[in-house]
Amino acid sequence: MKFLLVGQPNCGKSTLFNQIAGYKAIESNFPGTTVSYTESKFILNNETISIIDLPGTYTILPHDYAEKVTRDYIFKNDFDIIINVLDASTLSRGLELTLELLEMEKPMILVLNMIDSANAKGITIDENELSKILNIPVVKTIGNKGIGVEKALETAYSNAKTKIVNKITFRKDIEDSILKIEKCIKQFIFNKRFTAIKLLEEDDFIQGRVELCGETENVLSGIKKEIENSHGINSAMVISYERHGLAMDIFERVSKFSKPKKNFTKIVDDVLMHPLWGYFFLVIIVFTFFNIVFKLGQPVEGWLTTIFDNLSHLLERYFPTSQFIGSIISGTINGLSAGIGIALPYIFPFIVGLSFLEDIGYLPRIAFLVDAFMHKIGLHGKSIIPLITGYGCNVPAILSTRNMNNESDKFKTAFLATFVPCSARTIVIMGLVGYYLGGNMALLIYVINIFVIAVMGKLLTKMDNEPSPGLVIEIPTYHIPSIKSLSQKTWFRLKDFVYVAFPIIIVSSVTLSIIDYFKLTDWINRLLSPITTFILGLPQKVGVTLIFGIFRKELTLIMLNQALGTDKIATVMSKTQILVFTLFIVFYVPCVSTIAALKMELGTKKTVLITVTTILVALVIAFSARIIGTFVY
Amino acid sequence: MLISLSEAEIGKSYRVVQLHGGLNFQRRIAAMGIFIGGEIKIIRKAPFKGPLLVDINSSVVAVGRNIAFKIHVEEI
Ligand SMILES: Nc1nc2c(ncn2[C@@H]2O[C@H](COP(=O)(O)OP(=O)(O)OP(=O)(O)O)[C@@H](O)[C@H]2O)c(=O)[nH]1
Ligand SMILES: [Mg+2]
């Protein structure tokens, strides 16, 4: 059996999914977290059931690429029941999607999630009455506490495959029009009424799939004119207005209102979204965030690398690197030392911090605050969410550009997101510039980076001046994340690093040892020397690290120790060289995973364009730093 | 008196009277609950011609100025 979780953005679908599946889908407090589907299997009543978490969608007529994923999934796949999840605290709007889904007359139940938020707003919902009106079962849940989840699954199980009868009807003249269209439909999707409604709504997905004969088209255009005359609105919108009216009506009938609890969100927003203090706190929050990462990471890096250092000296005595086996052992130790000693101390606090900001609901507030500035670089506030996600990892950032509403915004946002220094590059910035030149210099790199992103945005807008559709985004109430959900999310992301990155780091270290052993490194370094020594003025030996950096950015730092034969970089590189190297690493070539994500979202041509641009930008920035550096130091 | 939503004042409630935009625009804002005849309350505005924060049937939505321009409202 197959259950689909369908609902509007941020209503708690992924949270419910994770309650059932274990933490498999990221949940965050902003609309548009989930951008592709996740499937999981579980056992209920001795039957294996697969459950699908889908991106949130306001209607099944998509406005962005993430919503399209959901629409396509519903239309192209078989399923046994839809679990329609609603945020009970915004019930009237959520019901509009419910009514639309009901039109498909597929098996369905309603899950009223966030009952706690609704209560805090002073809204109590009579689920029995709602169930009677909609003619489908209704279950109340509190997703993040797991309350009601089992009941929801049992209800879905016992109602799977029972086709429902949609008892909801629109006003008489609209129903008459729908009936007229139905009469001339020969092919249909789900059922005739649904297809007729979608044709009236000018849904291009359905339009492209049912062949219309001349007769149908005439009837349709006649009816559209009629509706426009009598209702005074675009005929494609008339059904939305009907659903809206019905949803408001149903909402009033099933809800009781009492005095709301103190509006905690409003009080906090009075400060965090204040025209002056809002920006002040934005800067403070970002600054504190990086400070914590740096201040926590640096001493830990110091301790851990010393431990590994002693270990490798000890082993060197028994297995000298002049022997093949010795070089492999030293490579492995180097890799482990780098993964645990250099990468983890920064990555861990970074992930916890980012997850916290996501869960508490601060990201959409940033979108609100910076919208005006984003317009100056041809984008709007919504783009800030992928860009911020990019500080964690560029791959999900590029995928999350599916939340953009047109191709041009999506391209520009993905382009700029590849320039954002991800946590891997943060390791290099913190571990190299921060460690040897101090926290302020590390901060300067982030500032330079933001400046470059702004300039790139400006240039992109010059080339392609398609007007951006503008910002419309729901601002959710704040949620205090539980320790449990925060640690689950942290582990979900860290796991990736430990399982995916660690092996790559170790294999790379061993590979470097091997090619070193066979004296191939010099050859690679000489090949790259026009860039490394001639343009950037770096030691020739750093060349090989740039190759490894294409696989994972943190490898550049990790390999650097090995390539230079010391972990006291400052003894072999000048301050300027450290700065130039780091700046080059921050900008040059997206890592292979990012390239793959770009290719999937934007196609080969745009990916090549972005990749080439990053190299050019890296050269220009790093070269400028070299020139300036010679004056300063 | 008809004004565009971008000129609306903080703390006041308005009724949507006209929408000046194509089908895509209308669909996008309808998804957030903005319909002709509906009520909108202005909660706050961002500086530098930034977005408005509005209350629509007790959900909170940020609406960019260039979108707000196309929504014409009257005070209630
Ligand atoms: N108070 C409260 N918060 C909840 C409840 N269920 C989920 N949340 C929180 O609501 C936020 C959104 O949850 P998600 O599961 O990411 O929502 P989603 O529906 O998957 O969102 P999209 O993927 O953007 O469509 C998270 O911060 C959850 O912790 C609930 O019942 N009550
Ligand atoms: Mg989700």
Side-chain angles (χ1 to χ4, degrees), chain A residues 296-310 340-342 345-346 435 567:
Chain A
L296 282 181
Q298 205 186 21
V300 180
E301 177 184 350
W303 303 327
L304 291 176
T305 39
T306 315
I307 296 175
F308 277 105
D309 234 24
N310 295 338
I340 299 172
I342 303 177
Y346 297 107
Y435 198 80
D567 53 11

Side-chain angles (χ1 to χ4, degrees), chain A residues 41-108:
Chain A
K41 291 197 164 54
F42 67 100
I43 307 246
L44 187 68
N45 304 330
N46 292 325
E47 200 171 328
T48 309
I49 292 167
S50 65
I51 185 157
I52 321 283
D53 179 35
L54 291 165
T57 182
Y58 287 106
T59 66
I60 33 182
L61 230 162
H63 305 96
D64 62 43
Y65 303 88
E67 294 189 341
K68 239 179 224 147
V69 172
T70 302
R71 194 259 326 259
D72 290 355
Y73 198 96
I74 295 175
F75 283 153
K76 291 178 182 168
N77 292 276
D78 273 333
F79 54 86
D80 296 291
I81 193 160
I82 290 178
I83 301 178
N84 175 208
V85 184
L86 265 91
D87 172 354
S89 70
T90 57
L91 181 64
S92 66
R93 197 196 55 214
L95 279 173
E96 291 175 32
L97 175 64
T98 305
L99 297 180
E100 189 179 4
L101 292 169
L102 276 175
E103 288 155 15
M104 302 192 309
E105 302 207 306
K106 293 293 255 178
M108 176 162 134

Side-chain angles (χ1 to χ4, degrees), chain A residues 13-15 25-27 33-34 53-56:
Chain A
K13 298 173 295 300
S14 301
T15 308
I26 292 278
E27 37 184 276
T33 305
T34 309
D53 179 35
L54 291 165

Side-chain angles (χ1 to χ4, degrees), chain A residues 108-177:
Chain A
M108 176 162 134
I109 66 160
L110 206 66
V111 166
L112 289 179
N113 192 36
M114 305 214 184
I115 289 296
D116 53 337
S117 309
N119 288 345
K121 277 193 187 173
I123 304 171
T124 322
I125 300 160
D126 180 348
E127 73 263 43
N128 296 326
E129 182 64 20
L130 184 59
S131 166
K132 227 184 278 163
I133 296 171
L134 298 175
N135 200 25
I136 52 171
V138 178
V139 183
K140 286 183 173 177
T141 60
I142 301 177
N144 51 349
K145 300 217 173 77
I147 298 171
V149 177
E150 248 170 70
K151 183 162 180 224
L153 289 179
E154 285 292 348
T155 312
Y157 183 85
S158 48
N159 285 274
K161 296 178 177 148
T162 23
K163 206 166 161 119
I164 52 146
V165 182
N166 181 15
K167 291 203 296 193
I168 307 287
T169 52
F170 303 133
R171 276 179 288 184
K172 175 104 185 15
D173 65 316
I174 306 286
E175 286 295 339
D176 289 345
S177 308

